[in-house]
């Protein structure tokens, strides 16, 4: 009798809790099915009668994109079978329990990522078929699957580069690197939808939606699309860059604590670019998107990063006789630091040997295939100088390897080489250490040790490849080749005599030592040293001088002198950028000769100190008291202080408080309660900004325990 009754679907259980946990997506929520490709997941189908394999035929149909087609990989039809058939869409390993059918669905490890609809078609014998919708699911990259191009065979690394939803961005200067806490928040419930919204607003999608969807199985393609979409130079991308000083129409890049607020604002305003970002904001937001999509990703900072537009591997900077760094119309610059991403993947588009970490840079600098994006460029290719390999490898190679030539300029002409530095660019390349709050120096992955035979050999190989493609040589090359490494009659060094704090006078010392040279073998020399201090801009330029001084020194053979220099607070008080960096430069003229000696010192001013204490054990749903203390060590008041707290799993969104004015020398103490809602390791990020100091940041690592049973 059973055979006569048509098989009808009564209900479906997509088993979200079980599947999401097995696919490590439960942090994104359990309301819907979110799975990773190349890994089976289970459905329960409940019918009006038991399923009969011999008579009942079930075909599954999975579709994604605007016009799904099997040819494009955006539509799959597959019948129920007892065993799985390799790396293809399949429904198999079924079990029958009364009127229920448990089925294991498998998606190939090279399937298109995205949101799918799933339905079944039921037929008996030669009769007509009936279609039933089963629901929707989201498919992500799977770094746990050995068949996936993003496979990373280390659980420790996957916990860091996929599952960790907070971290640090390294900023500042090679001599004083600061770690800024950042809330990636890739598992906040709406972020996955915003990630696909980003892909659906790209120019590639708008131009040809079906073709764009069909290429979303390729991690190289998806990375390039995201890299272009994080900035808004060509499209309605997520962030608008601003390297000026006027942020009145938006938020200063220094005042973001994390990616979630940025992505939510972009989505809520229909894809209006969020104002404003700079390199670390672009890279941190891209890290959120890529980790959310399932691609192992980290944020990397390169200190003294070359922006080499003409590709000649040389960055020229110019000073006048008064030691003032001159502005130039050239776009080649040395940024104090630059931040990009590395994503882990197999590069099937390259010869063997270039898999692993790939540089992706979402900061809009130069176009690549017509759009403002950069990468993926293989880190191994950069180290070996294989600059012909895709994508944008010459640009990244120059960022970490270019030479710096410093010129003495007069009347618009380069007069003398003050320095030719082959190892001053690409310093302290840094990322967060795995499983730790410490910084890891990864410079050795990008280049051989500075000055080693391998490093110079790779540099010459890359130079030949880049210059053979018609890139311009450095100007004044004849001057450069005629000198620059000559021995100098004196050695000069600028040192800080005490910790440089914003709001205080700065005390420096000039160390001068007479050195033997061919021109003045043993006699005394007389130096006139002209000093100049300027605010240093993030992109390598400077503002007008804020302090000058002239010092005369007599140096006898073998003699050392220490000369104190005072840079008063009033000189720099309103002259610095929000990053609080000062470049002090000095040019010494050796009397009786045409020789000049350059001495440089970059100073990063320390902000007031912020401390965060959480004395109690943290537990889901239970009030957690947080104590925040800010001490104003400055000699001036901090006006209009605003505090913003953020932390995935600890706070829904953000908490903002207006703290008013903090008088010089005073302490402000804040106590508030949080109600953690997710278990596991969490990070509380705290930002206090004021008119005078835009970025006072702190963080606290908090482990949240599960709620105790009543």
């Amino acid at each position: 009798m059973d055979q006569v009754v048509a098989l009808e679907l009564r209900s479906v259980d997509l088993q979200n809790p079980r599947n999401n946990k097995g696919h490590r997506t439960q942090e994104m929520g359990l309301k819907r099915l979110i799975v990773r490709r190349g890994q089976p997941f289970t459905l329960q189908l409940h019918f009006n009668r038991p399923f009969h394999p011999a008579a009942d035929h079930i075909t599954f149909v999975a579709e994604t994109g605007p016009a799904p087609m099997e040819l494009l990989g955006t539509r799959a039809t597959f019948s129920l079978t007892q065993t799985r058939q390799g790396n293809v869409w399949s429904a198999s390993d079924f079990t029958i329990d009364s009127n229920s059918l448990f089925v294991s669905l498998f998606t190939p490890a090279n399937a298109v990522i995205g949101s799918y609809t799933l339905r079944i078609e039921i037929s008996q014998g030669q009769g007509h078929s009936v279609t039933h919708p089963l629901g929707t699911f989201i498919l992500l990259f799977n770094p746990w699957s050995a068949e996936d191009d993003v496979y990373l065979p280390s659980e420790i690394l996957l916990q860091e580069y996929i599952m960790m939803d907070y971290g640090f961005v390294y900023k500042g200067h090679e001599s004083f690197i600061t770690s800024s806490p950042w809330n990636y928040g890739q598992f906040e419930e709406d972020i996955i939808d915003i990630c696909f919204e980003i892909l659906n607003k790209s120019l590639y999608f708008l131009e040809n939606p079906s073709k764009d969807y069909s290429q979303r199985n390729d991690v190289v393609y998806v990375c390039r699309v995201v890299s272009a979409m994080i900035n808004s130079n060509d499209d309605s991308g997520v962030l608008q860059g601003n390297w000026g000083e006027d942020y009145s129409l938006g938020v200063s890049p220094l005042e973001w604590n994390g990616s979630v607020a940025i992505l939510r604002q972009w989505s809520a305003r229909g894809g209006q670019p969020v104002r404003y970002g700079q390199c670390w904001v672009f890279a941190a937001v891209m890290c959120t998107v890529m980790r959310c999509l399932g691609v192992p990703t980290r944020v990397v900072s390169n200190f003294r990063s070359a922006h080499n537009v003409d590709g000649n591997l040389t960055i020229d900077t110019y000073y006048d006789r008064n030691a003032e760094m001159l502005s130039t119309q050239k776009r080649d610059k040395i940024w104090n630091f630059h931040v990009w991403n590395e994503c882990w993947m197999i590069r099937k588009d390259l010869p063997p040997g270039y898999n692993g970490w790939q540089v992706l840079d979402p900061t809009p600098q130069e176009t690549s295939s017509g759009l403002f994006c950069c990468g993926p460029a293989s880190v191994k290719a950069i180290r070996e100088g294989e600059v012909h390999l895709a994508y944008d490898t010459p640009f990244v190679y120059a960022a970490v390897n270019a030479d710096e030539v410093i010129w003495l300029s007069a009347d618009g002409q380069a007069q003398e080489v003050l320095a030719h530095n082959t190892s001053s660019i690409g310093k302290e390349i840094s990322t967060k250490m795995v499983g730790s709050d410490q910084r890891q120096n990864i410079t050795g992955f990008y280049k051989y040790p500075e000055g080693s035979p391998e490093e110079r050999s790779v540099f010459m190989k890359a130079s030949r490849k880049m210059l053979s493609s018609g890139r311009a040589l450095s100007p004044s090359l004849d001057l450069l080749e005629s000198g620059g490494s000559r021995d100098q009659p004196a050695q000069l060094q600028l040192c800080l005599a005490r910790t440089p704090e914003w709001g205080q006078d700065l005390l420096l010392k000039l160390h001068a030592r007479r050195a033997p040279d061919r021109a003045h073998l043993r006699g005394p020399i007389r130096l006139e040293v002209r000093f100049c201090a300027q605010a240093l801009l993030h992109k390598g330029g400077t503002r007008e001088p804020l302090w000058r001084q002239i010092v005369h020194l007599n140096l006898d053979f073998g003699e050392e002198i220490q000369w104190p220099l005072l840079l008063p607070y009033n000189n720099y008080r309103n002259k610095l950028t929000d990053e609080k960096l000062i470049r002090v430069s000095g040019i010494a003229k050796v009397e009786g000769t045409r020789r000049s000696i350059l001495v440089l010192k970059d100073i990063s001013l320390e902000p007031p100190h912020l401390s965060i204490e959480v004395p109690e054990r943290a537990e889901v749903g239970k009030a957690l008291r947080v104590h925040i203390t800010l001490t104003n060590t400055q000699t001036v008041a901090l006006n209009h202080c605003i505090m913003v707290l953020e932390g995935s799993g600890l706070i829904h969104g953000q908490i903002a408080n207006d703290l008013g004015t903090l008088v010089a020398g005073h302490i402000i103490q804040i106590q508030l309660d949080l109600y953690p809602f997710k278990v596991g390791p969490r990070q509380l990020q705290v930002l206090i900004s004021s008119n005078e100091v835009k970025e006072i940041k702190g963080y606290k690592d908090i482990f949240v325990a599960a709620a105790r049973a009543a």
Side-chain angles (χ1 to χ4, degrees):
M1 192 64 191
D2 271 348
Q3 298 285 34
V4 180
V5 180
L7 188 70
E8 291 175 12
L9 183 71
R10 291 286 160 87
S11 65
V12 184
D13 180 2
L14 298 180
Q15 305 209 328
N16 299 354
R18 176 185 167 183
N19 287 323
N20 288 12
K21 188 177 181 186
H23 287 246
R24 299 170 177 86
T25 62
Q26 73 269 35
E27 285 262 326
M28 296 181 185
L30 303 174
K31 292 176 186 165
R32 51 192 172 162
L33 181 59
I34 304 171
V35 291
R36 300 185 186 278
R37 63 188 195 174
Q39 183 178 336
F41 59 96
T42 307
L43 309 180
Q44 180 184 7
L45 308 178
H46 188 71
F47 297 107
N48 59 328
R49 62 165 173 82
F51 169 75
H52 296 302
D56 299 321
H57 298 287
I58 297 181
T59 302
F60 289 81
V61 182
E63 294 181 330
T64 187
M69 289 172 60
E70 299 211 12
L71 193 64
L72 294 174
T74 49
R75 182 176 193 268
T77 58
F78 45 101
S79 297
L80 184 62
T81 57
Q82 189 55 62
T83 53
R84 182 153 69 80
Q85 315 287 318
N87 187 33
V88 292
W89 288 87
S90 62
S92 62
D93 302 312
F94 61 86
T95 57
I96 301 163
D97 178 9
S98 183
N99 289 4
S100 286
L101 178 69
F102 291 87
V103 186
S104 174
L105 259 62
F106 180 82
T107 60
N110 59 350
V112 166
I113 62 160
S115 182
Y116 280 80
T117 59
L118 187 63
R119 65 177 189 268
I120 55 169
E121 295 169 356
I122 303 174
S123 62
Q124 284 173 288
Q126 300 303 309
H128 72 286
S129 63
V130 180
T131 300
H132 299 274
L134 298 183
T136 61
F137 66 94
I138 292 172
L139 191 63
L140 303 176
F141 291 109
N142 190 355
W144 281 271
S145 165
E147 304 298 315
D148 199 308
D149 284 352
V150 299
Y151 176 54
L152 179 57
S154 161
E155 187 59 36
I156 294 169
L157 297 186
L158 287 165
Q159 285 303 315
E160 182 71 50
Y161 299 131
I162 290 284
M163 302 305 291
M164 185 66 80
D165 62 2
Y166 60 85
F168 298 95
V169 178
Y170 297 101
K171 295 160 46 181
H173 188 278
E174 59 164 317
S175 312
F176 13 78
I177 295 170
T178 59
S179 65
S180 283
W182 193 271
N183 181 35
Y184 295 122
Q186 69 267 30
F187 300 126
E188 298 282 324
E189 288 200 11
D190 52 345
I191 295 300
I192 182 78
D193 302 302
I194 297 171
C195 291
F196 286 111
E197 203 181 321
I198 288 169
L199 297 181
N200 288 347
K201 280 203 162 58
S202 82
L203 293 181
Y204 294 103
F205 175 81
L206 298 175
E207 204 173 278
N208 189 335
S210 295
K211 184 185 177 192
D212 169 69
Y213 256 83
S214 73
Q215 290 179 276
R216 293 186 189 180
N217 64 329
D218 178 6
V219 64
V220 171
Y221 176 79
V222 172
C223 281
R224 277 181 72 73
V225 171
V226 173
S227 168
M229 277 300 297
I230 297 297
N231 69 71
S232 60
N233 283 37
D234 315 285
D235 40 45
S236 51
V238 176
L239 279 157
Q240 183 177 327
N242 184 345
W243 286 268
E245 284 299 301
D246 181 8
Y247 305 119
S248 56
L249 296 177
V251 174
S252 159
L254 291 167
E255 292 182 48
W256 296 112
N257 260 348
S259 310
V260 177
I262 294 168
L263 290 166
R264 283 178 175 162
Q265 182 182 318
W266 175 81
S267 176
R269 295 183 182 176
Q272 278 293 107
V274 176
R275 298 172 173 165
Y276 292 104
Q278 288 182 12
C279 62
W280 68 92
V281 187
F282 290 114
V285 172
M286 180 155 183
C287 183
T288 297
V289 173
M290 298 317 298
R291 284 186 187 180
C292 185
L293 294 176
V295 181
T297 304
R298 61 189 187 183
V299 173
V300 172
S301 299
N302 177 37
F303 291 88
R304 289 189 57 77
S305 187
H307 181 98
N308 187 212
V309 179
D310 54 21
N312 64 0
L313 289 178
T314 304
I315 307 284
D316 299 292
T317 49
Y318 301 88
Y319 288 82
D320 69 10
R321 299 220 169 266
N322 295 314
E324 179 182 340
M325 185 178 171
L326 303 173
S327 61
T328 164
Q329 296 307 304
K330 293 168 66 175
R331 289 167 59 213
D332 279 16
K333 291 280 190 300
I334 302 170
W335 292 24
N336 301 326
F337 67 93
H338 183 49
V339 185
W340 55 65
N341 300 98
E342 286 178 4
C343 292
W344 180 274
M345 69 191 73
I346 289 169
R347 291 295 301 273
K348 290 177 178 168
D349 58 323
L350 299 184
Y354 299 101
N355 299 333
W357 291 117
Q358 313 287 321
V359 171
L360 284 129
D361 188 351
T363 299
Q365 298 175 88
E366 302 301 317
T367 57
S368 172
S369 304
L371 291 182
F372 278 94
C373 65
C374 177
S378 162
V379 173
K380 288 178 184 171
I382 294 160
R383 189 173 195 254
E384 299 301 333
E386 303 294 353
V387 292
H388 60 290
L389 296 176
Y391 289 86
D392 312 304
T393 312
F395 189 76
V396 186
Y397 181 86
V400 298
N401 283 297
D403 283 2
E404 176 188 24
V405 182
I406 303 175
W407 301 90
L408 182 64
S409 178
D411 305 321
Q413 292 291 316
Q415 303 281 325
E416 182 184 343
V417 177
L418 293 169
H420 178 193
N421 299 325
T422 60
S423 61
S424 65
I425 284 171
K427 310 291 281 185
E428 295 290 333
I429 304 174
S430 301
T431 193
K432 177 187 175 297
M433 195 175 282
V434 173
S436 157
D437 288 354
Q438 299 303 304
R439 178 177 68 89
Q440 182 185 358
N441 185 329
I442 57 170
T443 310
F445 289 100
Y446 279 82
K447 51 186 175 180
Y448 290 96
E450 292 286 5
S452 67
E454 297 93 339
E455 184 264 339
R456 280 291 101 182
S457 157
V458 167
F459 185 84
M460 295 314 295
K461 173 168 76 173
S463 301
R464 281 194 297 273
K465 285 181 177 173
M466 290 169 76
L467 293 173
S468 68
S469 57
R471 292 174 161 98
L473 287 165
S474 175
S476 319
L477 196 64
D478 49 343
L479 255 180
L480 179 56
E481 288 176 345
S482 67
S485 59
R486 300 173 303 179
D487 51 345
Q488 295 286 16
Q491 290 172 352
L492 304 181
Q493 190 181 14
L494 274 171
C495 301
L496 285 162
R498 65 175 179 222
T499 302
E501 291 189 25
W502 187 86
Q504 312 270 356
D505 295 346
L506 305 179
L507 195 56
L508 297 101
K509 274 187 188 164
L510 173 69
H511 292 265
R513 188 169 77 85
R514 175 78 170 90
D517 70 308
R518 294 189 194 96
H520 301 78
L521 282 175
R522 298 214 170 268
I525 56 168
R526 184 169 166 77
L527 301 176
E528 180 190 72
V529 194
R530 292 174 179 259
F531 290 101
C532 173
Q534 295 165 275
L536 190 55
L537 308 178
H538 174 67
K539 288 175 88 168
T542 50
R543 286 183 170 172
E544 67 284 346
L546 52 87
W547 171 86
R548 293 185 189 274
Q549 193 163 328
I550 301 176
V551 171
H552 291 94
L553 301 175
N554 289 309
L555 271 180
D556 211 339
F557 184 75
E559 187 180 5
E560 282 192 38
I561 292 177
Q562 292 193 14
W563 192 279
L565 297 166
L566 184 73
L567 202 170
Y569 167 60
N570 280 339
N571 281 62
Y572 71 79
R573 179 173 190 164
N574 298 315
K575 306 282 177 61
L576 303 187
T577 70
D578 290 339
E579 290 185 62
K580 305 281 186 266
L581 275 170
I582 298 174
R583 170 160 293 172
V584 179
S585 37
I587 292 182
K589 186 89 180 76
V590 184
E591 287 196 5
T593 74
R594 294 185 164 188
R595 309 277 289 280
S596 304
I597 306 168
L598 173 73
V599 61
L600 297 174
K601 182 70 177 175
D602 291 343
I603 302 168
S604 174
L605 302 183
E606 293 210 357
H609 182 63
L610 178 69
S611 83
I612 306 160
E613 294 301 326
V614 181
E616 304 152 20
R617 174 180 183 269
E619 197 178 298
V620 167
K622 185 181 162 194
L624 181 68
R625 179 60 56 94
V626 176
H627 304 263
I628 299 166
T629 307
L630 175 65
T631 306
N632 185 2
T633 51
Q634 320 301 313
T635 54
V636 294
L638 299 176
N639 293 292
H640 191 50
C641 294
I642 299 215
M643 178 178 74
V644 178
L645 278 71
E646 198 166 317
S648 284
L650 298 170
I651 297 167
H652 292 285
Q654 295 177 320
I655 296 173
N657 278 343
D658 192 335
L659 306 178
T661 297
L662 180 53
V663 178
H666 281 223
I667 295 173
I668 191 166
Q669 292 185 315
I670 305 115
Q671 293 188 16
L672 47 88
D673 287 342
L674 305 180
Y675 292 86
F677 53 94
K678 282 187 178 179
V679 298
R682 303 288 158 197
Q683 188 188 72
L684 175 66
Q685 296 97 13
V686 179
L687 164 75
I688 297 179
S689 63
S690 67
N691 293 350
E692 291 72 20
V693 183
K694 282 283 176 267
E695 185 185 34
I696 305 167
K697 279 190 173 174
Y699 74 95
K700 189 73 177 176
D701 290 335
I702 298 170
F703 186 86
V704 180
R708 293 184 211 188

